[in-house]
Amino acid sequence: MEPVKVSKQSGTQVSVNLPKKKKKLNGDRLLAIAFLTPSIILAAIFIYGFIGWTGYVSLSKWNSLVPDFSFAGLKNYLFLFQDYRFQADIRNTIVFTVLFIGFVLIVGLFLAILLDQKLRGESLFRNIFFFPMAISFVVTGVAWQWLLNPSTGVNLFLKKFGLDSKWYTDITIIGGFHLGKIEFGIPVALLAVIIAAVWQMTGFSVAMYLAGLRGIPEELKEAARIDGASEFQVYRKVVIPMLAPITVSVVIIMAHISLKIFDLIYAMTGPGANFVTDVPGVYMFETTFRGNYYANGAAIAIIMLLSVAIFIIPYLIISRRGEK
Amino acid sequence: MRKKGFVFGLVLVLLFALSACNSKESSGGEKEKSGTDSKKSEKKVEIFSWWTGAGEEDGLKALIALFQDKHPDIQIENAAVAGGAGTNAKAVLASRMQGNDPPSTFQVHGGAELNEGWVAAGKMEPLNDLYEKEGWNDKFPKSLIEMVSKDGNIYSVPVNIHRGNVLWYNKHVFDENGLKAPTTFEEFFAVADKLKAKGITPLALGDKEPWTAVQIYENILLAELGTEAYGKLWTGDQSFKDEKVVKATETFKKMLSYINDDHASRNWQDASQLVAKGEAAMNIMGDWAKGYFVNDLKLAVNKDFGYITTPGTAGKFMVITDTFGLPKGIKNVEETKQFLSVLGSVEGQDAFNPLKGSIPARVDADVSKYDQYGKDTIEDFKTAELSPSLAHGSAAPEGFLTKANQAVNIFVSQKDVKQLTDSLAQAAEELK
């Protein structure tokens, strides 16, 4: 039997067919509407209203302390895409997102499989791995900044072994080639930030995968073993495919974190020399609240929103279909 | 048992998450609500600043104590927002001003930050009558009053002066190597070569925040162009493509080859530490560095470290001045003016400045209250040509500064002279 097919009738989705009720305006429904209305109104104003407002500002000429709402068209957006710093931001966001999600998935899955081996003191390890999740990104940033600082931390130790690491101050770009105004490639300094982010967020994927692993019936693995699959094949062909929905969830959640990342980078490295660790969030903060370029800042915010929407909207559509 | 452990773990995790959220909020910096809100006295003055560091906070408290002595019936609310160089405070201030909830008075650098920012936005009241009443027009230097004026109206009261063109050096390192403090760039590079040969970093820089590099660059610009042409850079009358600017940029580039490798991970305090420890010999920094050397690192002026103006800028004075103005639309105008009177008085300035480590903005303050560096600087301040600092928002609007910070950040890595002067010239088109 093809194990892939098994995954389609995944055990996690329980669909109960309730008898269809007639929708009547009874007391319960009225009460529900009464309770929901305030939050719907608040969400409409404070979330969607303000998104619309930001979009409006991003098309205006408001680039000083004096608000000027006259229409500027896409001028702010055009400026951004020609801007050295924003091009560097796009590169950094792509590199950060791909590597960050990749490592979170791989390390998370690996640790979850190890934890799933029914070892003693499992809950202790589970808590240890999950613990960094509870810390604020700002704290992580400051702690890792001390750890990786070229003149303190682990580097004093590494120096004794002849390794002189510059970590997050390094401006080298691995595999760099010229694109637009910038060198495209993997900035070395960004790797330091990725290490910190992975350290913080892996606990989450461990917890998710562990729950997923527990949801896979032992019989399926047994059946595969009886069919002569090696332990490695059991994981490759049975377990990992069955974890696909979990992987999708982790990717979605991590993607929106990494595309919006601000606090970790702001606390740890700032924009960095030559903007090797700059991200749109930091640029948006500096350009808006230091430079008073409100319209430019709003344009960055809208671009960030759209980039997250690329991930979130398909997910929402799929999960809605699943509910029906 | 296992379940219990897990629940316990979860509770722990939640607790930490909560405390993490809390710490984030408090560092986010809206402290103003924590003041004495309960007593709703009519007579209240809210002072908004970013003076929360050692020295400056003491200075502010001394100033408030002095005011409270004179006006015990007026309440003071100290609305200080933490964060280096006021970056957080400025963001909080901007949203309060735009929300029509201005503080009674707020800290603002004299020059473009005030004139092209809040005055141009029509948010400030002129203070000409206050200057008249207190007889201040000849108590502050003329060029300083010009820095806080726009179109003939005066908009704020300067409380202190910091100097931005000072080269600090480790005296022990200089004495051991038989070196003299450099007064020209030629001497500077000669000294730097000797130090480099000995394995000592000649110049310490910490440009994790890019204004420190901008500050060196503006010093060199002032040295190469002179006070007049330097001033014209910010009005658009002097092009950044001029050969003198190119020469200054070349000098800056050469200087950058003498700095520490890990400059991008340091802030200015970390860079000053290099000089204090003797790992580096010099750094160029505003004279708040003196407060850091003396108060935090316990070094002695003229014994452990020495000071001289940045090469080529003798007789020139890069001014950074903190001032307080009167926003439009506040309730306690009279009380706020009384506070500004104390701020601008000899007593007020002498209460604040010795603690902050700056010099008074008035020319008639009591010199005996200041240390040797302060005395020298007060003397210089009387005769030197004053120039506004770009790095601290006095020379040009924040928008230009943001772009200059970015251009200089790129330059420090790429060292492309033409690229820097071009991008500054492009940004300067907005200045006209």
Side-chain angles (χ1 to χ4, degrees):
Chain A
M1 193 178 102
E2 276 283 314
V4 185
K5 278 182 184 165
V6 180
S7 72
K8 281 191 178 161
Q9 50 201 77
S10 149
T12 49
Q13 282 180 17
V14 186
S15 64
V16 184
N17 283 323
L18 292 166
K20 282 212 171 176
K21 280 182 191 167
K22 263 196 176 174
K23 287 182 183 175
K24 261 198 284 181
L25 271 182
N26 56 17
D28 275 0
R29 268 186 75 79
L30 274 178
L31 200 63
I33 291 171
F35 273 114
L36 277 175
T37 318
S39 65
I40 289 174
I41 292 173
L42 289 178
I45 296 173
F46 289 104
I47 300 177
Y48 299 100
F50 284 172
I51 289 174
W53 172 249
T54 307
Y56 175 64
V57 170
S58 77
L59 299 174
S60 75
K61 288 182 183 162
W62 184 15
N63 278 324
S64 71
L65 283 173
V66 192
D68 173 5
F69 295 114
S70 47
F71 187 68
L74 293 174
K75 216 183 107 209
N76 295 306
Y77 291 91
L78 289 177
F79 166 78
L80 282 177
F81 284 104
Q82 285 158 8
D83 185 29
Y84 179 92
R85 181 170 181 180
F86 195 70
Q87 291 184 1
D89 289 356
I90 295 174
R91 170 197 67 204
N92 297 342
T93 305
I94 293 172
V95 171
F96 183 84
T97 304
V98 170
L99 293 181
F100 167 66
I101 295 178
F103 280 116
V104 164
L105 288 178
I106 294 166
V107 178
L109 179 62
F110 180 70
L111 290 177
I113 290 174
L114 288 186
L115 275 180
D116 196 36
Q117 304 304 313
K118 302 188 177 62
L119 67 166
R120 277 163 67 103
E122 183 209 309
S123 67
L124 174 70
F125 286 111
R126 203 168 47 203
N127 287 340
I128 288 174
F129 291 140
F130 198 67
F131 203 64
M133 263 287 292
I135 299 172
S136 152
F137 258 134
V138 174
V139 178
T140 309
V142 173
W144 278 90
Q145 181 210 335
W146 284 332
L147 282 170
L148 300 182
N149 190 303
S151 46
T152 58
V154 288
N155 296 291
L156 291 178
F157 181 69
L158 287 175
K159 248 181 205 166
K160 292 197 173 140
F161 296 97
L163 288 166
D164 198 5
S165 287
K166 286 205 260 170
W167 296 104
Y168 62 82
T169 66
D170 203 322
I171 54 165
T172 325
I173 288 168
I174 303 169
F177 59 89
H178 212 66
L179 187 74
K181 287 184 180 169
I182 55 155
E183 284 277 291
F184 199 90
I186 302 173
V188 173
L190 201 57
L191 296 177
V193 185
I194 293 170
I195 292 174
V198 169
W199 175 83
Q200 166 139 19
M201 280 300 163
T202 299
F204 179 77
S205 69
V206 171
M208 293 280 283
Y209 276 129
L210 201 54
L213 287 169
R214 295 285 150 83
I216 297 172
E218 194 59 33
E219 296 82 43
L220 286 174
K221 290 194 246 177
E222 275 309 312
R225 287 193 191 107
I226 289 165
D227 284 347
S230 70
E231 203 58 24
F232 179 70
Q233 275 174 319
V234 170
Y235 275 103
R236 236 202 77 189
K237 302 246 161 139
V238 180
V239 174
I240 294 178
M242 287 192 71
L243 290 174
I246 301 220
T247 307
V248 172
S249 304
V250 175
V251 168
I252 296 293
I253 290 163
M254 291 301 140
H256 91 88
I257 290 175
S258 90
L259 291 170
K260 292 190 304 195
I261 191 120
F262 168 80
D263 33 11
L264 176 71
I265 291 190
Y266 193 72
M268 190 171 165
T269 62
N274 213 4
F275 301 117
V276 281
T277 58
D278 197 43
V279 287
V282 175
Y283 189 18
M284 192 254 154
F285 175 76
E286 290 197 345
T287 201
T288 314
F289 298 111
R290 290 190 189 167
N292 301 324
Y293 289 101
Y294 289 90
N296 272 344
I300 299 173
I302 292 291
I303 294 171
M304 284 167 71
L305 178 75
L306 292 177
S307 68
V308 175
I310 293 172
F311 281 86
I312 299 288
I313 288 176
Y315 177 72
L316 288 181
I317 291 171
I318 291 166
S319 60
R320 260 189 71 85
R321 268 193 211 136
E323 274 170 28
K324 283 175 190 168
Chain B
M1 266 323 274
R2 272 184 55 178
K3 207 172 178 185
K4 218 173 169 185
F6 187 57
V7 170
F8 178 68
L10 259 182
V11 168
L12 249 177
V13 162
L14 272 176
L15 271 177
F16 268 84
L18 277 177
S19 62
C21 290
N22 271 337
S23 68
K24 213 171 170 182
E25 266 163 32
S26 56
S27 69
E30 274 202 69
K31 273 190 187 169
E32 61 259 50
K33 294 281 179 277
S34 66
T36 45
D37 250 9
S38 49
K39 286 185 240 165
K40 280 265 173 179
S41 140
E42 279 296 303
K43 291 188 163 187
K44 196 171 80 176
V45 178
E46 187 192 13
I47 306 164
F48 187 95
S49 74
W50 54 86
W51 283 329
T52 55
E56 53 190 29
E57 193 180 14
D58 302 333
L60 180 60
K61 280 184 182 154
L63 199 58
I64 292 173
L66 179 73
F67 179 76
Q68 220 96 75
D69 264 0
K70 298 195 166 191
H71 304 278
D73 55 324
I74 301 175
Q75 256 191 52
I76 292 272
E77 194 177 325
N78 178 7
V81 175
T87 45
N88 296 335
K90 284 179 195 172
V92 173
L93 179 67
S95 45
R96 286 189 63 176
M97 294 290 269
Q98 275 157 12
N100 288 325
D101 173 31
S104 309
T105 183
F106 60 88
Q107 179 184 6
V108 58
H109 287 137
E113 190 179 314
L114 171 72
N115 299 330
E116 305 307 320
W118 299 119
V119 175
K123 299 273 187 188
M124 305 302 286
E125 295 281 2
L127 292 170
N128 300 22
D129 53 338
L130 186 70
Y131 270 71
E132 203 92 343
K133 194 182 123 207
E134 301 285 337
W136 283 343
N137 285 314
D138 54 351
K139 295 293 185 291
F140 293 105
K142 267 234 136 40
S143 45
L144 187 65
I145 294 185
E146 273 164 30
M147 275 175 77
V148 295
S149 305
K150 194 177 166 79
D151 305 327
N153 286 324
I154 309 171
Y155 285 98
S156 72
V157 181
V159 57
N160 69 349
I161 301 289
H162 273 298
R163 187 174 205 172
N165 58 322
V166 188
L167 182 140
W168 309 90
Y169 57 94
N170 183 312
K171 248 191 134 94
H172 302 297
V173 172
F174 267 61
D175 289 346
E176 277 160 30
N177 295 293
L179 299 170
K180 247 184 63 198
T183 57
T184 64
F185 286 116
E186 271 172 32
E187 285 177 32
F188 175 86
F189 289 121
V191 165
D193 281 328
K194 276 185 200 154
L195 288 164
K196 207 175 185 181
K198 296 250 171 151
I200 300 165
T201 306
L203 185 67
L205 174 67
D207 67 339
K208 188 175 177 193
E209 293 168 69
W211 61 264
T212 53
V214 175
Q215 187 165 300
I216 296 181
Y217 185 50
E218 75 181 6
N219 273 217
I220 302 172
L221 282 174
L222 178 63
E224 297 280 6
L225 275 78
T227 306
E228 204 189 329
Y230 171 86
K232 283 183 177 166
L233 284 173
W234 321 119
T235 54
D237 296 323
Q238 166 74 45
S239 166
F240 276 96
K241 293 186 175 172
D242 189 271
E243 58 184 85
K244 277 185 185 162
V245 178
V246 173
K247 195 176 162 227
T249 313
E250 294 284 355
T251 310
F252 182 37
K253 180 179 166 181
K254 194 171 171 196
M255 222 178 230
L256 289 174
S257 62
Y258 292 96
I259 57 173
N260 44 311
D261 282 345
D262 58 355
H263 58 92
S265 69
R266 290 176 182 270
N267 55 26
W268 71 265
Q269 288 99 329
D270 300 332
S272 306
Q273 276 181 30
L274 285 179
V275 177
K277 283 187 210 153
E279 286 173 35
M282 303 175 271
N283 69 337
I284 294 173
M285 184 43 62
D287 58 11
W288 44 89
K290 185 207 73 182
Y292 184 69
F293 281 135
V294 174
N295 299 331
D296 297 271
L297 303 178
K298 312 284 173 217
L299 302 180
V301 186
N302 285 329
K303 191 165 151 273
D304 297 314
F305 69 93
Y307 52 87
I308 189 167
T309 48
T310 312
T313 64
K316 301 187 177 78
F317 201 112
M318 190 72 83
V319 178
I320 293 118
T321 176
D322 289 308
T323 72
F324 283 80
L326 187 65
K328 276 185 183 160
I330 59 164
K331 279 181 201 149
N332 308 306
V333 177
E334 275 318 304
E335 288 79 14
T336 307
K337 279 192 175 170
Q338 276 164 346
F339 177 76
L340 292 177
S341 300
V342 173
L343 197 75
S345 68
V346 173
E347 251 179 304
Q349 306 232 323
D350 283 342
F352 176 80
N353 286 303
L355 291 167
K356 161 92 166 130
S358 44
I359 65 163
R362 286 178 73 116
V363 288
D364 56 351
D366 183 359
V367 181
S368 66
K369 291 195 169 157
Y370 298 85
D371 62 4
Q372 190 54 48
Y373 173 81
K375 284 175 184 153
D376 289 355
T377 314
I378 290 171
E379 221 28 68
D380 269 11
F381 183 62
K382 285 180 184 158
T383 53
E385 302 167 351
L386 308 186
S387 286
S389 157
L390 170 66
H392 299 278
S394 294
E398 295 278 328
F400 180 85
L401 175 57
T402 306
K403 288 186 175 164
N405 277 339
Q406 289 179 22
V408 168
N409 180 358
I410 295 167
F411 181 78
V412 173
S413 308
Q414 300 194 348
K415 302 201 170 66
D416 184 340
V417 172
K418 194 171 176 312
Q419 195 185 1
L420 176 59
T421 54
D422 279 357
S423 37
L424 288 175
Q426 201 191 346
E429 278 168 21
E430 284 179 29
L431 292 174
K432 283 174 192 166

